[in-house]
Amino acid sequence: MTRRPLVAGNWKMNGHRAASAELDALIAAGRPDADVLLCPPFTLVASFAERASGSHVAIGGQDCHAAASGAHTGDISAEMLADAGASAVIVGHSERRADHGEDDSTVRAKAEAAWRAGLTAIVCVGETEAERDAGRTLAVVGAQLAGSVPDAASAANLVVAYEPVWAIGTGRTPVTSEIAEVHDALRASLASRFGADVADGVRLLYGGSVKPANAAEILALENVDGGLVGGASLKASDFLGIIAAA
Ligand code: 13P
């Protein structure tokens, strides 16, 4: 099975309207041999989706509420993201889990909401440094995967991102054998729950301090099908260097 690489940028709480110049640069760079997804803050989703319409760059959200609508001040539904032109949404990012107390069942409900709205769900998992030091990495990410991915997963509607919490924004990354160990385990766990066909098609992204200098080595791993990039996705020049490595 050949999985088409996916390089996704997560701008987190960064980006004003003037940052559309970075999107324009991604579009102008032409179609690479990878899918490219940019997840700007909610304020930019609609304008970026309009700008990227017809190009190879897809636009996604960084989170959604599990409900389609209702009295949830400050929240955004998956249906609203779809209406704004998004095709995917990140759910269960460790910053959401930590800052907003989201647990696996919340993340699972959000992934279901994404599918209800026709979006691809990018489900994030990852261990803390203390969990890695305690030798619990595979147990932690395995439990997160089991608890956060709904039963209706398919190769088309699910992407899984492995992001070690201690590697996010720190400039530190696991060594490639550590990344490979986790990704191999994630693939095996998807296969035992959903069968080989689904597991072979789901793209597994690595995230955490991916930059142009380390992207080629990480993205070359057999079960790494792309990257989820934070800081290095903010500047098109850096992000393009990562996309070129995919
Ligand atoms: P950095 O690439 O800035 O480490 O962030 C990774 C991340 O959290 C992407 O979702």
Side-chain angles (χ1 to χ4, degrees), residues 3-8 30-37 56-57 203 219 225-226 242-246:
R3 292 172 293 271
R4 188 169 160 80
L6 168 63
V7 182
R31 188 174 294 272
D33 295 330
D35 290 339
V36 178
L37 173 73
H56 65 280
V57 180
R203 289 177 292 184
L219 301 186
D225 308 308
I242 295 167
I243 293 166

Side-chain angles (χ1 to χ4, degrees), residues 10 12 93 95 163 167-169 208-210 228-231:
N10 173 10
K12 309 190 179 184
H93 192 282
E95 288 152 14
E163 299 204 305
I168 294 175
S209 297
V210 177
L228 181 54
V229 185

Side-chain angles (χ1 to χ4, degrees), residues 31 46 63 74 79 95 105 117 135 152 157 163 173 179 195 206 217:
R31 188 174 294 272
D63 176 52
E79 281 78 358
E95 288 152 14
S105 67
N157 67 17
E163 299 204 305
T173 57
I179 297 173
Y206 168 78
E217 187 185 26

Side-chain angles (χ1 to χ4, degrees), residues 2-230:
T2 39
R3 292 172 293 271
R4 188 169 160 80
L6 168 63
V7 182
N10 173 10
W11 277 13
K12 309 190 179 184
M13 199 171 70
N14 297 291
H16 293 186
R17 284 184 294 174
S20 61
E22 304 302 329
L23 172 61
D24 292 347
L26 294 180
I27 294 169
R31 188 174 294 272
D33 295 330
D35 290 339
V36 178
L37 173 73
L38 196 59
C39 300
F42 290 137
T43 47
L44 297 177
V45 168
S47 64
F48 273 31
E50 197 167 322
R51 227 173 166 101
S53 171
S55 82
H56 65 280
V57 180
I59 303 300
Q62 299 174 11
D63 176 52
C64 65
H65 195 278
S69 63
H72 303 287
T73 301
D75 277 314
I76 303 278
S77 72
E79 281 78 358
M80 289 169 172
L81 285 171
D83 182 53
S87 57
V89 61
I90 299 167
V91 293
H93 192 282
S94 62
E95 288 152 14
R96 298 289 316 177
R97 292 178 186 261
D99 294 356
H100 299 271
E102 295 185 5
D103 62 12
D104 290 332
S105 67
T106 310
V107 177
R108 187 184 185 117
K110 290 180 177 210
E112 269 165 352
W115 296 346
R116 185 185 65 220
L119 304 178
T120 298
I122 303 176
V123 176
C124 301
V125 298
E127 83 286 1
T128 63
E129 185 157 33
E131 288 163 344
R132 175 162 284 275
D133 289 346
R136 299 186 51 232
T137 297
L138 293 184
V140 167
V141 301
Q144 288 175 334
L145 187 77
S148 303
V149 174
D151 290 332
S154 75
N157 67 17
L158 177 68
V159 171
V160 175
Y162 167 55
E163 299 204 305
V165 176
W166 53 273
I168 294 175
T170 60
R172 296 165 58 205
T173 57
V175 297
T176 50
S177 60
E178 292 171 328
I179 297 173
E181 180 186 34
V182 174
H183 280 243
D184 293 355
L186 290 172
R187 182 90 59 208
S189 156
L190 289 172
S192 72
R193 179 167 166 204
F194 299 108
D197 282 355
V198 171
D200 284 350
V202 172
R203 289 177 292 184
L204 305 181
L205 311 185
Y206 168 78
S209 297
V210 177
K211 36 186 187 273
N214 62 19
E217 187 185 26
I218 294 171
L219 301 186
L221 296 169
E222 187 191 341
N223 279 317
V224 176
D225 308 308
L228 181 54
V229 185

